[in-house]
Amino acid sequence: MRILVLGGDGYCGWPTALHLSVRGHTVAILDSFVRRLWDHEIGVESLTPIRSLRERVLLWEELTGDRLAVFVADLQDHQALSRALGEFEPDAVVHFAEQRSAPYSMIDREHAVFTQVNNVVGTLNLLYALRERCPECHLVKLGTMGEYGTPNIDIEEGFLEVEHNGRRDLLPYPKQPGSFYHLSKVHDSHNIMFACRLWGLRSTDLNQGIVYGTLTPEITRHPGLINRFDYDGIFGTALNRFCVQAAIGHPLTVYGRGGQTRGFLDIRDTVRCIELAVLNPPAAGEYRVFNQFTEQFSVGELAERVRLAAAPLGLSVALRNLPNPRVEREHHYYRAAHTRLHDLGLEPHLLSDTLLHSLLEVALRYRDRVRPEVILPDVDWRRPGRGRGGQTRS
């Protein structure tokens, strides 16, 4: 198949492109490199020293003989996006090309507006470009479990059968997003579903849990292929951040009481889920949703597992509860369905001590690059602005 990966320079996009390439697909990457610009803007960098996309693509070709075509374009530029689709003629488009940080979207008005415009308008441009250039193409869109929030009922995979006043219907599952970023993903879902109904497009919306890890079999082929590893308070995910804190002797910072429960998955399962969705496309006009995670943990449970796994490596780790910068329930019911990808053949990599040791070893290998001052949260949902350095923007 011919597969175009939007956002292919990023944390999920780069390993996905390699995973699909090594399995015989013709893969192209489209990226504007804005994710690297955001690092400069907020004053952080990846724990791992990632090379430029050009260097990584050339190295991949040297190692495998497989060429990854690269299109430099932004989804805000509809004409450039449309040209890329027309030139490459993909059978599937994998869409990672969005601002994906909840804290970034909550910094202030400017960042909330930017996140919603970037994500919602970019996806609208993509939908129109698909209609114009390749209406039979399958859109695989990375959504988020954060669209659902934490309802006091079971979370289904996208849709909920409802009986009301003697009548029954299958309706989109109610959404309770927790940030302006998560709201942008809800808007995306509605727009994609509408475009499928309106124009007969086909799409799979993958509501993904929190991803951890940085290594896939393809990434481990050469140090120059290494993926990014974010640990800061804005782009860093919980488990990656805890492993970095353990490596440098910093207490593991648990927000609030630590009962916040979410779905999690290994980066190796992310790329496999994408492949399974691509290989099993929906019918024309169909919009479907898969919940993409393999296990669920509370934040406190996750921190305790890191603490225990760090001990055999000679790391003495403490836990510290911080005031929660987010507005969220800290103890709640959480049970989400996630069977559809398993039914397609997903064999998950569950969070074991061996896997935790491998994550800790990555953190230890690069701990000279850690900047402790960027780990703690400096964005408060209740007060626009950033706390670090006393700078506030509105």
Side-chain angles (χ1 to χ4, degrees):
M1 296 179 70
R2 299 178 64 80
I3 305 171
L4 178 61
V5 179
L6 309 180
D9 187 45
Y11 174 58
C12 290
W14 174 243
T16 296
L18 301 190
H19 179 87
L20 295 171
S21 172
V22 82
R23 281 155 182 78
H25 301 288
T26 301
V27 178
I29 288 171
L30 184 146
D31 207 295
S32 68
F33 311 117
V34 70
R35 174 65 187 85
R36 296 176 185 246
L37 180 64
W38 295 333
D39 276 354
H40 290 292
E41 176 203 342
I42 63 176
V44 300
E45 58 276 322
S46 167
L47 174 70
T48 49
I50 52 173
R51 296 187 182 184
S52 70
L53 180 61
R54 179 177 180 276
E55 291 176 294
R56 296 198 287 184
V57 165
L58 289 174
L59 177 58
W60 181 248
E61 187 171 0
E62 290 174 12
L63 293 170
T64 66
D66 295 335
R67 180 176 178 272
L68 301 173
V70 175
F71 297 91
V72 179
D74 194 303
L75 267 63
Q76 301 300 302
D77 186 341
H78 175 260
Q79 290 186 342
L81 174 60
S82 183
R83 282 195 302 270
L85 288 173
E87 180 178 335
F88 186 67
E89 297 182 333
D91 300 303
V93 170
V94 181
H95 181 14
F96 294 112
E98 297 199 318
Q99 194 296 99
R100 55 97 174 158
S101 165
Y104 187 92
S105 76
M106 300 299 293
I107 291 174
D108 54 20
R109 181 202 61 82
E110 177 186 3
H111 289 81
V113 170
F114 171 81
T115 298
Q116 298 234 343
V117 171
N118 181 79
N119 294 359
V120 178
V121 173
T123 298
L124 277 172
N125 283 338
L126 174 60
L127 291 170
Y128 271 92
L130 288 171
R131 175 185 177 273
E132 295 159 4
R133 294 287 192 166
C134 42
E136 296 300 315
C137 180
H138 175 200
L139 171 60
V140 179
K141 169 71 167 61
L142 194 76
T144 169
M145 289 297 295
E147 291 188 30
Y148 299 119
T150 54
N152 199 38
I153 59 173
D154 290 5
I155 297 171
E156 305 300 335
E157 299 202 61
F159 295 87
L160 180 67
E161 190 170 321
V162 176
E163 185 173 344
H164 181 64
N165 289 343
R167 302 189 66 84
R168 186 183 298 271
D169 203 349
L170 187 67
L171 299 174
Y173 195 96
K175 306 294 178 68
Q176 301 180 67
S179 73
F180 288 118
Y181 155 71
H182 291 104
L183 276 159
S184 77
K185 305 295 269 191
V186 172
H187 303 328
D188 283 341
S189 296
H190 290 158
N191 287 336
I192 294 169
M193 182 168 56
F194 180 67
C196 289
R197 188 169 77 243
L198 183 66
W199 299 325
L201 301 183
R202 65 189 79 210
S203 180
T204 303
D205 209 347
L206 297 174
N207 282 343
Q208 181 167 256
I210 300 169
V211 185
Y212 56 80
T214 190
L215 300 177
T216 64
E218 294 74 37
I219 294 290
T220 58
R221 289 188 176 203
H222 193 283
L225 298 174
I226 197 162
N227 196 17
R228 68 181 306 124
F229 190 117
D230 297 308
Y231 65 92
D232 61 274
I234 291 183
F235 284 102
T237 55
L239 184 53
N240 288 357
R241 188 176 74 247
F242 289 158
C243 289
V244 167
Q245 289 176 318
I248 65 170
H250 190 293
L252 309 190
T253 49
V254 176
Y255 298 168
R257 291 182 288 176
Q260 306 93 312
T261 301
R262 303 290 186 267
F264 290 83
L265 77 163
D266 188 299
I267 187 70
R268 293 172 294 179
D269 292 332
T270 289
V271 300
R272 176 61 174 152
C273 289
I274 296 294
E275 180 190 15
L276 288 170
V278 166
L279 293 176
N280 298 275
E286 182 182 357
Y287 168 80
R288 65 185 184 182
V289 179
F290 298 163
N291 290 344
Q292 182 171 305
F293 70 97
T294 57
E295 298 178 274
Q296 64 180 52
F297 303 102
S298 73
V299 177
E301 290 170 341
L302 205 61
E304 180 63 15
R305 292 194 63 167
V306 171
R307 187 186 71 80
L308 294 174
L313 300 178
L315 300 172
S316 179
V317 178
L319 273 58
R320 178 191 300 166
N321 292 80
L322 298 181
N324 194 344
R326 304 185 179 211
V327 176
E328 61 186 357
R329 295 176 183 147
E330 296 181 5
H331 283 290
H332 55 84
Y333 179 80
Y334 195 82
R335 184 182 179 194
H338 56 114
T339 61
R340 301 190 70 181
L341 285 161
H342 289 264
D343 292 343
L344 291 177
L346 177 65
E347 298 177 355
H349 298 83
L350 301 181
L351 188 61
S352 63
D353 286 346
T354 301
L355 178 56
L356 283 169
H357 289 161
S358 71
L359 286 170
L360 287 163
E361 285 164 3
V362 171
L364 287 166
R365 188 178 313 139
Y366 295 104
R367 63 181 166 187
D368 304 0
R369 292 173 53 87
V370 175
R371 293 173 50 214
E373 71 274 13
V374 306
I375 294 175
L376 297 180
D378 70 343
V379 177
D380 191 311
W381 264 228
R382 302 163 188 82
R383 293 187 296 276
R386 292 181 66 193
R388 188 181 307 136
Q391 178 108 15
T392 301
R393 290 176 285 185
S394 60

